[in-house]
Amino acid sequence: MKTDLLMNFSVDKENKRVNVKREFNAPLSNVWSAWTEAAILDLWWAPAPLKSETKSMEFKEGGRRLYAMIGPEGAQGWSTFDYTSISPKTNFKYTSTFCDAEGNPNSAFGSSFWDVSFTEQGDSTIVDIVITRDSFEELEKIIEMGFKQGFTSAMEGLDKILAEK
């Protein structure tokens, strides 16, 4: 098993983007499932000690995932993924927006536009993620909220799930 997996995280201030390139020690089909199936997403999407709980999910173009990140004391932070394009086992794009439990957007945070690409390389899969915001101020706010640490922790959780398969 490969132990020195690629993890690049960079911020492109000029283009209001975060780029994440992450290698997983698993075949493409397993990594794709982990990113596109609610039951598996709920196991790793939230960084510990938070938990992810999907209320509804339709992984299709025009479909939506409505989920909460739930803290140890029960506090809930809701978000939606609105899927805009899907090329099976290659790429999908979605808009991520903070919202209430019914999916009504929280305009204080704006949205993130995710472009997630998958490439199999030998026994590993590379996931290349570009996250764009409408403004640098929004991007900065998300980063200050601990996005890098939280996302890195969540992907380490995914490593453990993929190792069990």
Side-chain angles (χ1 to χ4, degrees), residues 13 25 29 32 46 51 64 67 80 92 109 120 137 142:
K13 293 179 181 179
N25 197 13
S29 60
W32 177 263
K51 292 183 179 179
R64 170 179 270 196
Y67 73 99
T80 56
F92 67 91
F109 288 100
E120 196 164 45
E137 291 74 24
I142 297 298

Side-chain angles (χ1 to χ4, degrees), residues 42 51-55 65-70 76 78:
D42 281 347
K51 292 183 179 179
S52 174
E53 188 173 299
T54 299
K55 183 175 183 178
R65 177 184 185 219
L66 173 61
Y67 73 99
M69 286 202 190
I70 303 170
Q76 299 178 345
W78 289 87

